[in-house]
Amino acid sequence: MSLDMVMTDCGTMPYLRGCFFDIGSRCALSLANVRFHFEFEPYQINPQTDLAVIKPEMMKPYVWLQTSDDSIQQVEQEIAMFCPLICQEIIQKGMGSSKNCAICLPQQVSPAMLSLILDYCRFHQVPGRSNKERKSYDEKFVRIDTERLCELTSAADSLQLKPLVDLTSRALARIIEGKTPEEIRDIFHLPDDLTEEEKLEPLRNITADPRIRLLNRLYAKKRKELKERERSKNSEVEEHVDDRSVDDLLSFINGNDGDPKGVKTSKNKKKNRRKKEQQKNSSLKEVSELNKKEINGHDIRPRSSEAESISETSNLHNAEDDTSNPTPEFDDGYIDDEIDPALKEKLDRWDYFLTEFALLNRSYMNYCMPEEKAVE
Amino acid sequence: MGDVVGPDLISDLPQSIIESILVQLPIREAVRTSILSSKWRYKWASITQLEFDDKCVPFSNDREVVERSVVKFITTVLFLHQGPIHKFQITNWKLQNCPEIDQWILFLSRNNIKELVLELGEGEFFRIPSSLFNCRKLNRLELSRCELDPPHSFKGFLCLRSLNLHQVLISPDAVESLISRCPLLESLSLSYFDHLALTICAPNLKYLYLEGEFKDICLEDTPLLIEISIAMYMTDDIAEHFEQSSNCNFVKFFGGVPNLEKLVGLIYFTKYLSIGIDSVHISITYHNLETIELYQVNFEDTKEILVILHMITSSPNLKELQISGSSNIPVAVDAPDLDFWEKGCFSDSALNKLKIVKLSEMGGWRHEIEFIKYLLGRSPVLETLSIIPCVFDMENNLKMLIELVKCRRASSRAEVIFINE
């Protein structure tokens, strides 16, 4: 029995649901390169024409899909056809009708992602749903962790399923909106690999402002410090102020059983440090967390080996030394008990000012577009 | 960076996805992504849609300060942007007549702009520069509170599909020629125009929205119109013009819109249509017209009622009807002309598809009651008829209800809902 299949223009109808065709009993019909295998009961024969409408439920062909891990699964054709890429593969290339010629899905589609995408398709291809229902389903659908959301966006894009791409990108936009850059970097695991200069320029003209250049240098040093500290950090990080002078530490290493919490610190140093701490704490109220960490990092050492803390102390000295170089107000070789307390006071205040300025600049940068005039 | 941090989740997604994410962020946040990481430094700079609204700069009570920062922000963004810009939108009420806008439009005209929306603030209207007319690919144009003056040599926007001019200063000839020179125009919206006698030649026009003090509206070449919404305001000039007019506006207006599906008329539109209506025999049929909404209909004027009746009877597929009366209390003390309802060709016609009727601002006046009777008696598939009275006077509403209860209903399923709150 010859069979004629009448199909409307599939190229423009990716969401094909039913077809008109002439019935026989079990038969295989081929249309161009497409092969469908059916088994169905003859019914609803319209005597006027030889065509009959086959209800989609009667025809449940399956299509074979191969995911990124090379596993092959069988999926209801109707649902898979919701994805333009799959539809194209079936109709134009005739793939998917058996395990041997399974449609090879793009690399971004893992079995887990395919399952999610098929759930989406399964819900949305039912015509009777109200807009409200669909919207509500969509809202729930994107409540997944960010990593899977990104994977899903990528997979949907590779299958050219635009409605799902729009939905997931909207969800990602909502995640990004309103967050500080640090938070965003944290969520998406972005490396913080821009220098301060790069972050500010070209949105702000920095060449004119020597304070910014100074700041950048200070920040670079501080960041390096932090990196080193993080590397040596173990899980028991305790934030505490290490008030030990270099002499104390050295004597500890050399055999004295000093109290590691620093009872024997010189009073002067302790007083100054605490003052600095207090000053800094007051300015911390409006600052984002990372800034806080950095500032505290100035004074706080995690529990680490003594050698490390010595090198850190000396690093700290170096950092502070650096601040002394560009500005004429600093004297060389500072932060030492022998320094004139009045000068030390001055230096502390300048340090405080710099960090305040940096904080203001940072948080300003974070939340709005900076104006050209310098922050006073 | 450290071992606790996982692989980068997002930076390597294709640019089309990044763009669709960035475009859904407020512009400020999108630009801010440039400090996230080195890969993100310029991702924002190639987005093709830029939208600046009231929130794009920090708030300040001083309008001048805000204007300066908005101008600076937009200029910086445009300067740093690379690639085509398809959509550019400013809806910022603090922004008024700034010379920088000229430069932005010039820049956009060189960047394949397709959609341009400029909604500026009150105050001196900004004069649109001639570089706008060089935007060959313009697909959608929306302007508010500007002054538009197309040059004589302007050949039209050949790709324009949607035009929306709101409170725009433009000469009537210029607007007519602008419309007729945009061959693909599908949607036209003109609001707050004064004293315009408008002729529209737009062979592809599907959606028309007009609001303003129009003297006359002539739809000369609009065969594909599907939806019309017109609000006509009245001035003394226009009232005089109406009185002296000898046209039949109904025929003139509806003559060329056979495919009409939805009609909305507000304020004096019904009055406009009523001019000359009793002198002509109307025989047009609107097979696709399914929704009619007429507001501020004066039921005292039998000519306006004629307009409604003509429209209803010329639309065999009408499904939904919404009529709102005017809230004026009738001045005439003489008995209303009830013969009007008996004679006339309307008594024979049936409204075979009418399902939903909403009547609001009903004062219970004689003609209104007769109209309701007419509807109830001739709508075999009517499902709901809701009535909202305009006068919350128990006695008056009671009278209305008594009359309604007497009405014969052609549809057994009809629900008459009287909303009395």
Side-chain angles (χ1 to χ4, degrees), chain A residues 41 84 178 193 210 228 237 248 260 267 276 291 307 328 336 368:
Chain A
E41 313 282 325
D193 54 1
E228 284 165 30
V237 171
D248 284 342
K267 277 197 175 162
K276 228 191 262 182
N291 288 342
D336 203 312
C368 59

Side-chain angles (χ1 to χ4, degrees), chain A residues 291-304:
Chain A
N291 288 342
K292 208 187 247 185
K293 223 176 23 177
E294 278 203 17
I295 294 312
N296 281 342
H298 185 70
D299 284 320
I300 285 158
R301 324 278 168 84
R303 276 189 190 280
S304 55

Side-chain angles (χ1 to χ4, degrees), chain B residues 248-294:
Chain B
C248 172
N249 286 340
F250 190 96
V251 174
K252 199 171 69 147
F253 188 86
F254 284 111
V257 290
N259 292 316
L260 194 61
E261 287 173 24
K262 179 170 174 180
L263 174 74
V264 177
L266 296 118
I267 315 178
Y268 285 99
F269 184 62
T270 325
K271 171 119 186 98
Y272 170 75
L273 286 179
S274 68
I275 293 169
I277 196 161
D278 39 8
S279 53
V280 198
H281 174 68
I282 292 162
S283 57
I284 332 164
T285 317
Y286 301 99
H287 293 282
N288 297 338
L289 189 53
E290 290 186 7
T291 312
I292 295 178
E293 291 177 28
L294 292 173

Side-chain angles (χ1 to χ4, degrees), chain B residues 75-263:
Chain B
T75 310
T76 314
V77 168
L78 284 179
F79 198 35
L80 296 174
H81 188 275
Q82 55 182 153
I85 300 178
H86 289 155
K87 180 170 169 191
F88 185 82
Q89 176 170 322
I90 302 181
T91 44
N92 192 311
W93 285 61
K94 301 271 167 70
L95 200 60
Q96 285 172 25
N97 192 2
C98 310
E100 286 88 352
I101 307 181
D102 281 348
Q103 295 166 11
W104 299 339
I105 297 182
L106 177 59
F107 179 83
L108 293 170
S109 69
R110 295 172 180 162
N111 269 289
N112 295 324
I113 185 81
K114 289 196 180 141
E115 281 184 47
L116 179 64
V117 176
L118 275 180
E119 232 185 82
L120 305 175
E122 310 262 338
E124 202 187 320
F125 281 11
F126 171 70
R127 196 189 150 83
I128 301 278
S130 56
S131 48
L132 174 70
F133 302 101
N134 290 332
C135 300
R136 303 250 160 265
K137 302 244 178 91
L138 204 60
N139 185 301
R140 177 175 157 228
L141 178 64
E142 201 174 305
L143 299 173
S144 276
R145 289 176 284 278
C146 307
E147 205 183 304
L148 198 59
D149 191 13
H152 290 294
S153 57
F154 180 52
K155 300 280 190 310
F157 292 116
L158 299 175
C159 303
L160 195 69
R161 285 184 200 270
S162 168
L163 178 64
N164 185 327
L165 301 177
H166 177 92
Q167 267 185 286
V168 171
L169 286 178
I170 181 172
S171 76
D173 295 331
V175 79
E176 282 178 10
S177 83
L178 178 62
I179 296 170
S180 59
R181 287 197 187 144
C182 299
L184 295 183
L185 195 64
E186 279 179 14
S187 165
L188 174 66
S189 170
L190 300 175
S191 29
Y192 291 98
F193 277 76
D194 301 343
H195 300 291
L196 216 46
L198 191 66
T199 306
I200 299 181
C201 295
N204 275 310
L205 196 66
K206 294 205 180 112
Y207 306 98
L208 177 66
Y209 176 86
L210 297 175
E211 183 178 345
E213 293 166 1
F214 292 98
K215 269 194 205 160
D216 214 355
I217 300 173
C218 183
L219 301 177
E220 202 173 275
D221 181 15
T222 52
L224 299 181
L225 259 182
I226 293 178
E227 208 171 297
I228 297 180
S229 171
I230 301 193
M232 291 177 80
Y233 294 101
M234 186 65 77
T235 63
D236 293 335
D237 267 357
I238 295 180
E240 217 182 286
H241 177 88
F242 278 8
E243 273 165 47
Q244 294 167 356
S245 168
S246 53
N247 298 328
C248 172
N249 286 340
F250 190 96
V251 174
K252 199 171 69 147
F253 188 86
F254 284 111
V257 290
N259 292 316
L260 194 61
E261 287 173 24
K262 179 170 174 180
L263 174 74

Side-chain angles (χ1 to χ4, degrees), chain A residues 170 178 185 193 366 368, chain B residues 24 28-29 32 35-36 38:
Chain A
R170 213 177 321 133
R185 278 190 214 112
D193 54 1
N366 285 343
C368 59
Chain B
Q24 297 190 70
R28 203 182 183 66
E29 306 228 11
R32 226 167 36 127
I35 64 168
L36 286 177
S38 55

Side-chain angles (χ1 to χ4, degrees), chain B residues 291-334:
Chain B
T291 312
I292 295 178
E293 291 177 28
L294 292 173
Y295 299 89
Q296 284 88 35
V297 177
N298 183 5
F299 274 92
E300 260 190 274
D301 184 354
T302 51
K303 289 209 277 186
E304 290 196 29
I305 305 177
L306 261 181
V307 168
I308 305 179
L309 292 174
H310 271 300
M311 265 205 270
I312 306 179
T313 51
S314 309
S315 320
N317 291 315
L318 185 66
K319 286 210 183 88
E320 191 176 323
L321 179 66
Q322 272 196 51
I323 307 276
S324 178
S326 61
S327 33
N328 301 324
I329 297 178
V331 191
V333 273
D334 335 316

Side-chain angles (χ1 to χ4, degrees), chain A residues 214-252:
Chain A
L214 158 65
L215 227 43
N216 284 340
R217 241 167 287 156
L218 180 58
Y219 263 127
K221 283 279 184 279
K222 288 222 174 119
R223 200 177 308 125
K224 222 162 68 178
E225 257 178 70
L226 265 181
K227 268 196 205 163
E228 284 165 30
R229 253 179 243 139
E230 270 180 25
R231 263 183 232 133
S232 61
K233 220 197 269 194
N234 55 30
S235 50
E236 285 180 60
V237 171
E238 265 177 42
E239 288 188 355
H240 74 285
V241 179
D242 193 340
D243 292 335
R244 290 176 285 185
S245 71
V246 181
D247 295 350
D248 284 342
L249 291 167
L250 279 170
S251 61
F252 181 75

Side-chain angles (χ1 to χ4, degrees), chain A residues 83-94:
Chain A
C83 301
L85 187 80
I86 297 179
C87 191
Q88 211 177 21
E89 289 279 318
I90 293 177
I91 291 179
Q92 286 180 11
K93 298 187 194 162

